[in-house]
């Protein structure tokens, strides 16, 4: 088998595995509706009185009068055409409900991701080059951060920076770019604290591991400058674990919006998921769940495909 | 191989002592180490693991362990390394001295290309990017890499250990150093490639007229390759002699024990004898002669003080009773 | 490289000395929390549900209310002590269930037939795609608020983490000579697996369980914070924080901060213990890390 054929096969295998995961996950999400005690139709109407024709649409969309498999295929067919049904609470298409909430959540996730990566790698680099005392301090800091649940971060940030110092608003997402950044700062930091801690710890360990390696000493022995050694040898060679963790953390930020958006009164996907769960608005819950799984699968597959490009040492044997 | 003139040494180590902080106070690693290498000369540095030979040559590049304390003098091409600033050290590493490490797999960054490895050293030495690439291809060809232009784009994983060590040597020679420090450059290689790499090193060294320190634990190899051999034990120099002299008549019992422990091709086929006991670190050594616990010739006098290097025949040996003829 | 050996040895001794202080502290803290939960009725100065609007939102250190009161005048210390019960018991249940499931899955995957390994490993890969909190919320959507459904969901969500570790360790252990020699002596795979492999995995499992406990505690408290977990009149630390949120906006955050910090310290203590257990599993592992 040639190298190229091996690579193609490996990539196709990864993509097939990813699709398989999404399919199985969608079965679970569909089955959740059937698991609700009582008649699924009653769950979907949410106690509202609907006309017979509206009920027919529901039966048809969810394949309720068929067996599980045929029913799933009907539903999956709709989902595959991006028809995610109608919210039982709002009587509006899930698509438009999500579309209006997605931008603010994406802004929040993006903001949190930037904070996570900049602070996480920054602290990791500093503790890699600094003396032992600074490194110990950084370890204590990052271990604490990694263990901080977002809701604890939320209350502390609210109490200190919103109510106490009055620097940041208490609720809302703001309008216009700067106002939005100002409103989303505390929520983004609350989401980023744990992620930052995890990333910094992984980065610290990876950098420390590389610093002990001989190729770093070789570079020093040739008079390569400190910054260049860090960049080309230490950070460069740590990209494997670092990128993997960044991917996992990004994926987890999606579900992480639930707590932070709810606490800060931000009308995004996460808060929507929480309110839909408590109101049993199933079409919405299913749509957001599927979205979360797809986000996870897309990110983790992208990371898998990216790693061998970033570092030849991470190439799977078949593609060598 | 020795040059007729006696120019200024490229490396001069005098009374070098080094210790690192430990749990209960400083841990000494080197004591009173001396070494002289002149241009065009090859000096072997021989000893068991932990004897301080690698540490000695790393000190010549200012690569001492973190928070190490040093005393004595290390001069490379006129620069006092131990008191040199960061900038001076960088210049030293960029232009004056280069090092070849033991394991080429570990010493070339596996994530980057061969070209990147070579160009990095040249760029650090101030060569511009385009010239550096051209120079790197040339160097690869000189050390015997086939298709050097293609090899530049390859990763270390695609090379054998021997080929990779050639790349490392090319990298070390790229800035025309006056001093080459080779730290067990053949230990990690198969026997067949070992000979190739040694001959490459020596021919390059002769061609460029560099001074070379050849660190090895293989006394026979050192005796064959080097003009002079320095034998180290537990952080101290115990014998200095010309390669053939050392081989013919070792003056220090430790040197003799090392020779007896090695299967020779030249000498009589005597039974191999292991050196009794285990090699010690400097911190663990007894008072007086470091080797006395393992020495079959030691007596009470050996415990009194550390013997200084003294002339004996063609050697300098740190022993109160040097030379086989004095032993029982 | 031989030259740094003495230096490294010295450094390791020092690092180990710093470790146990924190670890002992963590163990003592956890012991206090557990005793507090068990002996809550004896220790709590008030009923956790006794309201007194006159005494609402007293700051910590107020006479009679060591940690102050919440917005309905309930004693925060008493609520913290009683809240510890569900806050600790629920994650404990999750950890036990996911450990048992994970051990079963991991051992079958490692020592069972090849098809079982393929099936289970693939299933675990898929399960990873569901973030634990999402699966728990899905369970709440299906079965309604309360701790039971999320506990089941989290047990399932954490199983693959345990399963993977057990599988890889069991494969490693299984290739050791002693396992083969038992097989040669005619002992069955199941017997060797349960009798010899499993005990050798115990330290790694304990470390894993400690970390999982921290995550489960956070996940369950998060659900309660979102109003999807414990239902009143039951309460845990998460619901205490949720109920105290309005008071934060009044500038009186103590009744939220106290349970928040308790959660944080508990998680840190559990993580420290877990890491300590994990690092003493194998010296070689740490040296590689």
């Amino acid at each position: 088998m040639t190298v190229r054929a091996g690579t193609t096969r490996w990539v196709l295998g990864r993509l097939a595995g990813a699709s398989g995961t999404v399919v199985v996950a969608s079965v679970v999400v569909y089955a959740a509706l059937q698991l609700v005690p009582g008649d699924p139709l009653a769950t979907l109407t949410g106690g509202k009185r609907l006309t017979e024709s509206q009920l027919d649409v529901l039966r048809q969309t969810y394949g309720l009068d068929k067996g599980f498999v045929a029913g799933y295929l009907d539903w999956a067919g709709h989902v595959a055409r991006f028809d995610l049904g109608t919210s039982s609470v709002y009587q509006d298409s899930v698509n438009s409900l999500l579309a209006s909430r997605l931008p603010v959540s994406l802004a929040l996730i993006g903001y949190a991701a930037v904070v996570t990566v900049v602070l996480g790698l920054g602290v990791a680099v500093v503790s890699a080059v600094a003396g032992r005392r600074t490194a110990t301090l950084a370890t204590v800091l990052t271990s604490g951060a990694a263990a901080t649940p977002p809701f604890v971060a939320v209350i502390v940030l609210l109490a200190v920076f919103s109510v106490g110092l009055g620097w940041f608003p208490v609720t809302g997402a703001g309008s216009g770019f700067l106002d939005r950044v100002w409103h989303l700062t505390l929520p983004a930091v609350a989401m980023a604290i744990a992620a930052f801690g995890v990333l910094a710890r992984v980065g610290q360990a990876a950098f420390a591991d590389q610093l002990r390696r001989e190729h770093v000493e070789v570079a020093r022995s040739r008079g390569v400058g400190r910054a260049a050694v860090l960049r080309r040898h230490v950070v460069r060679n740590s990209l494997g674990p670092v990128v993997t963790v960044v991917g996992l953390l990004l994926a987890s930020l999606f579900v992480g919006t639930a707590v932070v958006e709810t606490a800060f009164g931000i009308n995004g996907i996460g808060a929507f998921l929480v309110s839909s769960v408590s109101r049993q608005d199933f079409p919405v819950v299913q749509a957001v769940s599927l979205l979360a799984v797809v986000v996870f699968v897309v990110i983790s597959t992208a990371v898998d495909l990216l790693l061998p490009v970033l570092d030849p040492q991470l190439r799977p044997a078949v593609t060598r | 191989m020795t040059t007729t003139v006696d120019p200024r040494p490229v490396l001069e180590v005098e009374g070098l002592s080094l210790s690192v902080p430990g749990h209960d106070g400083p841990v000494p690693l080197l004591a009173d180490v001396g070494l002289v290498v002149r241009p065009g000369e090859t000096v072997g540095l021989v000893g068991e693991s932990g004897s301080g030979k690698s540490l000695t040559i790393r000190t010549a590049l200012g690569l001492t362990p973190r928070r190490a304390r040093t005393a004595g003098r290390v001069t490379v091409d006129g620069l006092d390394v131990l008191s040199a600033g960061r900038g001076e050290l960088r210049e030293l590493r960029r232009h004056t001295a280069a090092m070849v490490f033991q394991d080429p797999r570990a010493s070339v960054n596996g994530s980057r290309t061969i070209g990147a490895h070579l160009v990095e050293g040249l760029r650090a030495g101030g060569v511009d990017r385009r010239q550096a690439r051209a120079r790197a291809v040339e160097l690869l060809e000189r050390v015997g890499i086939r298709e050097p232009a293609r090899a530049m784009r390859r990763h270390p994983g695609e090379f054998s250990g021997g080929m990779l060590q050639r790349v490392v040597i090319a990298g070390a020679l790229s800035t025309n150093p006056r001093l080459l420090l080779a730290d067990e450059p053949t230990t990690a290689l198969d026997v067949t490639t070992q000979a190739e790499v040694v001959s490459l090193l020596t021919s390059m060294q002769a061609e460029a007229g560099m001074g070379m320190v050849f660190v090895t634990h293989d006394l026979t190899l050192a005796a064959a390759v080097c003009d002079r051999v320095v034998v180290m034990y537990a952080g101290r120099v115990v014998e200095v002699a010309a390669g053939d002299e050392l081989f013919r008549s070792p003056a220090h019992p430790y040197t003799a024990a090392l020779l007896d422990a090695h299967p020779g091709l030249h000498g009589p086929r005597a039974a191999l004898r292991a050196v009794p006991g285990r090699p010690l670190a400097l911190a663990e050594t007894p008072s007086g002669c470091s080797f006395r616990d393992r020495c079959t010739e030691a007596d009470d006098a050996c415990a009194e003080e550390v013997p200084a290097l003294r002339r004996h025949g063609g050697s300098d040996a740190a022993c109160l009773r040097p030379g086989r003829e004095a032993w029982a | 490289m031989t030259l740094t050996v003495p230096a490294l040895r010295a450094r390791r001794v020092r690092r180990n000395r710093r470790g146990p202080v924190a670890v002992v502290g963590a163990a003592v803290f956890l012991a206090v929390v557990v005793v507090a939960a068990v002996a809550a009725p004896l220790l709590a100065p008030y009923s956790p549900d006794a309201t007194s609007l006159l005494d609402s939102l007293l700051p910590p250190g107020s006479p009679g209310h060591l940690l102050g009161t919440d917005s309905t005048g309930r004693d925060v210390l008493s609520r913290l002590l009683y809240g510890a019960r569900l806050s600790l018991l629920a994650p404990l249940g999750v950890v036990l269930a996911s450990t048992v499931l994970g051990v079963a899955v991991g051992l079958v995957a490692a020592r069972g037939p090849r098809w079982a390994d393929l099936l289970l490993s693939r299933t675990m890969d898929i399960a990873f795609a569901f973030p634990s909190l999402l699966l728990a919320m899905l369970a709440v959507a299906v079965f309604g608020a309360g701790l039971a459904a999320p506990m089941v969901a989290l047990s399932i969500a954490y199983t693959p983490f345990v399963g993977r570790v057990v599988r890889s360790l069991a494969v490693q252990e299984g290739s050791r000579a002693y396992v083969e020699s038992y097989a040669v002596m005619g002992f069955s795979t199941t017997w060797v697996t349960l009798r010899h492999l499993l005990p050798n995995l115990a330290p790694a499992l304990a470390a894993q369980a400690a970390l999982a406990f921290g995550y489960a505690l956070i996940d369950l408290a998060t659900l309660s914070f979102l109003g999807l977990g414990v239902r009143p009149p039951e309460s845990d630390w998460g619901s205490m924080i949720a109920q105290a949120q309005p008071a934060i906006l009044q500038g009186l955050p103590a009744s939220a901060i106290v349970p928040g910090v308790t959660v944080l310290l508990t998680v840190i203590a559990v993580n420290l213990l877990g890491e300590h257990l994990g690092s003493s599993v194998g010296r070689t592992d740490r040296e590689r890390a």
Side-chain angles (χ1 to χ4, degrees), chain A residues 128-132 214-215 217-226 228 232-233 236-237 311-313 315, chain B residues 58 61 63 66-67 86 90 93-94 101-103 106-112 117-118 120-121 124 155 171:
Chain A
V129 297
R132 197 186 294 167
E214 201 164 274
H215 66 88
E217 196 181 12
V218 170
R220 277 200 206 119
S221 80
R222 303 165 88 191
V224 178
R226 250 177 113 150
R232 295 191 209 131
H233 292 276
R236 171 76 173 74
N237 283 49
D311 190 344
Q313 293 185 90
R315 266 171 215 166
Chain B
R58 277 171 165 74
L61 280 177
L63 291 169
R66 258 194 181 190
R67 312 204 295 154
R86 205 191 258 177
R90 201 178 297 147
R93 294 172 188 170
R94 285 178 176 175
F101 289 76
Q102 179 175 345
D103 181 1
S107 54
V108 184
N109 186 341
S111 302
R112 305 173 74 214
H117 174 79
L118 295 173
E120 176 170 59
H155 290 279

Side-chain angles (χ1 to χ4, degrees), chain A residues 34-53:
Chain A
Q34 314 282 337
L35 279 175
V36 179
D39 182 8
L41 196 60
T43 311
L44 287 172
T45 58
K48 291 199 176 60
R49 286 188 151 267
L50 299 185
T51 64
E52 198 52 38
S53 69

Side-chain angles (χ1 to χ4, degrees), chain B residues 104-236:
Chain B
R105 289 255 173 269
S107 54
V108 184
N109 186 341
S111 302
R112 305 173 74 214
T113 59
I114 298 304
H117 174 79
L118 295 173
V119 169
E120 176 170 59
L122 286 159
R123 297 273 295 141
V127 182
D128 80 49
R129 188 171 297 276
R130 196 138 42 90
Q131 273 188 323
R133 294 201 67 83
R135 188 83 215 284
V137 174
E138 224 173 89
L139 280 161
L140 284 177
E141 193 153 22
R142 261 180 70 198
V143 297
I145 303 284
R146 263 173 294 163
E147 297 188 76
R150 279 193 58 195
M152 292 278 288
R153 290 191 299 274
R154 297 216 163 145
H155 290 279
E158 300 169 63
F159 286 80
S160 69
M163 283 296 134
L164 209 52
Q165 195 63 304
R166 287 167 183 263
V167 172
V168 172
I169 291 169
L173 297 175
S174 64
T175 50
N176 300 318
R178 306 200 8 93
L179 173 67
L180 184 65
L181 304 161
D183 186 5
E184 304 209 29
T186 59
T187 307
L189 308 178
D190 335 325
V191 181
T192 46
T193 32
Q194 278 178 7
E196 290 172 24
V197 168
V198 169
S199 76
L200 176 68
L201 269 174
T202 50
S203 69
M204 291 283 171
Q205 183 249 351
E207 205 177 297
M210 296 178 289
M212 174 155 90
V213 181
F214 191 92
V215 173
T216 178
H217 57 255
D218 186 340
L219 193 51
T220 324
L221 179 61
V225 172
C226 305
D227 301 313
R228 249 173 322 115
V229 176
V230 175
V231 181
M232 286 186 73
Y233 180 78
R236 283 196 174 93

Side-chain angles (χ1 to χ4, degrees), chain C residues 1 17 33 39 59 73 80 84 98 147 149 157 188-189 200-201 212 235 239 242 245 285-286:
Chain C
M1 258 194 332
R17 254 206 337 192
V33 172
L80 198 66
S98 61
L147 283 180
S188 78
T189 306
N200 286 351
L201 302 182
S235 79
S239 67
Q245 254 194 306
D285 282 354
R286 182 172 36 176

Side-chain angles (χ1 to χ4, degrees), chain C residues 12-267:
Chain C
R12 182 167 304 134
V13 171
R14 189 170 291 187
R15 194 188 299 157
N16 281 353
R17 254 206 337 192
R18 186 180 291 128
V21 181
V23 173
V24 167
V28 168
F29 178 81
L30 285 180
V32 168
V33 172
V34 169
V35 167
V38 172
L42 299 174
L43 297 173
Y46 300 90
S47 154
D49 302 315
T51 60
S52 159
L53 290 176
L54 286 175
D55 294 329
S56 71
L57 291 174
L58 292 175
S62 302
H65 296 285
L66 195 62
L67 293 178
T69 57
D70 69 4
S71 51
T72 54
R74 295 176 294 193
D75 180 55
V76 171
L77 174 61
S78 307
R79 292 185 61 69
L80 198 66
L81 294 172
Y82 277 95
R85 303 179 136 196
L86 276 181
S87 300
L88 297 179
L89 267 183
L92 186 66
V94 170
V95 167
L96 289 179
S98 61
T99 302
V100 169
L101 278 173
V103 167
V105 168
L107 285 183
V108 171
R111 308 275 297 151
R114 210 174 139 54
W115 61 264
D117 183 21
L118 274 175
L119 183 75
L120 291 172
S121 294
R122 192 76 195 91
T123 311
M124 288 195 274
D125 284 345
I126 292 170
F128 273 116
F130 278 96
S132 58
L133 193 60
L134 179 75
L135 208 60
M137 285 200 266
L138 205 53
V140 173
V142 172
F143 298 106
L147 283 180
M151 280 175 66
V152 174
L154 290 181
S155 303
I156 293 169
Y158 291 167
T159 297
F161 289 91
V162 183
R164 263 201 190 173
V165 171
V166 171
R167 182 186 171 278
S168 74
L169 285 175
V171 167
Q172 248 175 50
E173 282 280 323
S175 61
R176 293 239 195 123
Y178 81 90
V179 173
E180 203 173 317
S181 61
Y182 275 117
V184 172
M185 284 188 274
F187 292 102
S188 78
T189 306
T190 318
W191 190 87
V192 176
T193 303
L194 293 179
R195 196 58 205 280
H196 293 276
L197 269 181
L198 195 50
N200 286 351
L201 302 182
L205 273 178
Q208 186 77 9
L211 295 176
F213 183 87
Y215 283 116
L217 196 153
I218 291 179
D219 277 347
L220 288 164
T222 302
L223 286 174
S224 294
F225 175 78
L226 293 172
L228 304 175
V230 288
R231 275 176 300 188
E234 302 273 28
S235 79
D236 64 4
W237 295 335
S239 67
M240 281 177 74
I241 298 172
Q243 288 158 15
Q245 254 194 306
I248 298 177
L249 303 185
Q250 297 171 37
L252 296 165
S255 56
I257 302 281
V258 167
V261 168
T262 311
V263 169
L264 181 58
L265 290 179
T266 310
V267 173

